[in-house]
Amino acid sequence: MAPVQLRTPRLAIDGGLPVRRPDAGWPVWPQPADGADAALLSVLASGRWAISSPGRGELAERRFAARFAQYTGARHCVPTDHGSSALVIALESLGLRSGALVLVPALTWTASATAVLRAGLVPVLVDVDPWTGCITPDTLDLNVGAQAVIAVHWACSMADVPALSRVAAARGMSVIEDAAQAHGARWQGRSAGTLGRLGCFSMQHGKVLTSGEGGAVVTDDDDLAPVLQELRADSRRYGTDRRPGALELVEDPSTMGSNFCMSEFSAALLCAQLDALERQNAVRTANYTRLAELLSGIPGVRLLRRRPEQDRLSLYEVPIVLDPLPEGRDNTWAARALGAELRTHVYTPRTPLSRSALLRPWTKPTIAPLAERFVALHRDRSYPGAEYLARHAVVLHHSAFLGPGTDMDDIAEAVAKVMADSGRHADRLRHGVEMKVN
Ligand SMILES: Cc1ncc(COP(=O)(O)O)c(C=O)c1O
């Protein structure tokens, strides 16, 4: 591939001409799949808008559960209203005692940790590998006495769940995969979500498979599956009575649940969106491959490292790591500069949970004992890997990868332009210092 050519050196944030043409636009997200409107209208007319409605034809929720189980290759799928609820019931299904400790990566969306607290447990933050953004056996704290691990597949990179599971199993810990950002990713042919004991997905608006809000747990564990059903439907599980008017859910509980049920509209929409997922993942992957080649010629930038065992990508977000950071500039500046060049939103990764304003359990009096334990456990911990990525990466949403390959040329040109300007900026800084010294 030819090296990236710069058309104009002056940055758009400094009043220069942006790389992206004003009429070019970017793919919108979400994109309704073929058949999405018909699927929604059919629920509207069906008289069955919820899992708890009296029987009248097939429940979309059960259809989606079967289809998503088949898609991931899991034996069971239990849909939920959100990805966070999927995590809550997955954790509850383990039957841990109140206040048990759960290892959670410091670099993830807050729900990976708040779900632990909602399940009556205490998250213990652990660092991530700065090359992949995911936890590894080396970053786990094996001495704190945790009983479970949440392995998040971060942005577009998969955690090595088989390796984590080996280490965890030796200490009696269960691994829950948080695959909220990884629908369709595969590790040695196996789908994200099916490598740990339980796998949790989010179908929130920004995700690659979405119904606005939604979630699911997948598992191969025949004993956990009915427990998960109860935990998400106020202690009820699927029954067998298919007569018109009969209820889908029966009251024969073994445990107490909450209402985390997915609505029929969401389930029907997800069935339609699932039909488009593989094609969209293929487009995103082809574009990512092209971008990787283009960026390889630009010094000081890299993409996340992908483990060779990960044989299929799913891009939720694409972090571009500035390594080293341009002198005198930070990644907030770089994200703004790139956004101006590309006429789209470019952002920085989330603040690590260790200093995130979104993870402050002590603000909730109902979980005070868990919060006190959380605070005490986090006094002397550090997260250099998470901090490194939070300060060095700029991030693009997966929708930017759904257009033609030429969009990647624009992204690479914008990156090259911003890096070239940073080089000149560093020279000016050095020159300024020399002037002062003289
Ligand atoms: C890694 C991760 N875990 C959990 C969640 C929570 O999912 P939801 O927003 O559907 O509750 C998200 C959503 O952003 C996520 O990215």
Side-chain angles (χ1 to χ4, degrees), residues 280-363:
Q280 291 174 339
N281 273 352
V283 173
R284 282 185 286 252
T285 299
N287 277 328
Y288 181 85
T289 307
R290 182 180 177 122
L291 182 67
E293 270 183 54
L294 290 165
L295 293 186
S296 66
I298 304 172
V301 295
R302 67 170 172 91
L303 296 173
L304 288 186
R305 190 175 284 172
R306 175 171 153 196
R307 291 286 307 263
E309 296 92 333
Q310 185 179 347
D311 39 29
R312 210 182 276 192
L313 277 175
S314 172
L315 310 182
Y316 167 58
E317 291 176 326
V318 174
I320 299 174
V321 185
L322 309 180
D323 195 6
L325 213 52
E327 202 176 323
R329 289 185 159 162
D330 60 17
N331 60 338
T332 307
W333 174 87
R336 268 198 310 115
L338 277 172
E341 295 301 335
L342 292 169
R343 301 177 192 269
T344 190
H345 183 48
V346 181
Y347 45 103
T348 55
R350 293 258 156 209
T351 305
L353 292 181
S354 45
R355 53 185 178 89
S356 168
L358 306 182
L359 182 62
R360 294 188 300 154
W362 52 90
T363 59

Side-chain angles (χ1 to χ4, degrees), residues 64-78 158 177 179 182-187 189-195 198-201 203 209 216-220 274 277-278 312:
F64 173 67
R67 290 215 36 216
F68 198 62
Q70 187 188 31
Y71 176 73
T72 55
R75 284 170 62 79
H76 308 278
C77 168
V78 178
M158 280 182 81
E177 273 177 271
H183 317 64
R186 291 212 192 143
W187 186 274
R190 289 171 64 193
S191 286
T194 63
L195 298 142
L198 300 126
C200 300
F201 290 85
M203 282 66 156
L209 177 66
V217 187
V218 296
T219 186
D220 284 341
L274 191 54
L277 180 59
E278 283 295 276
R312 210 182 276 192

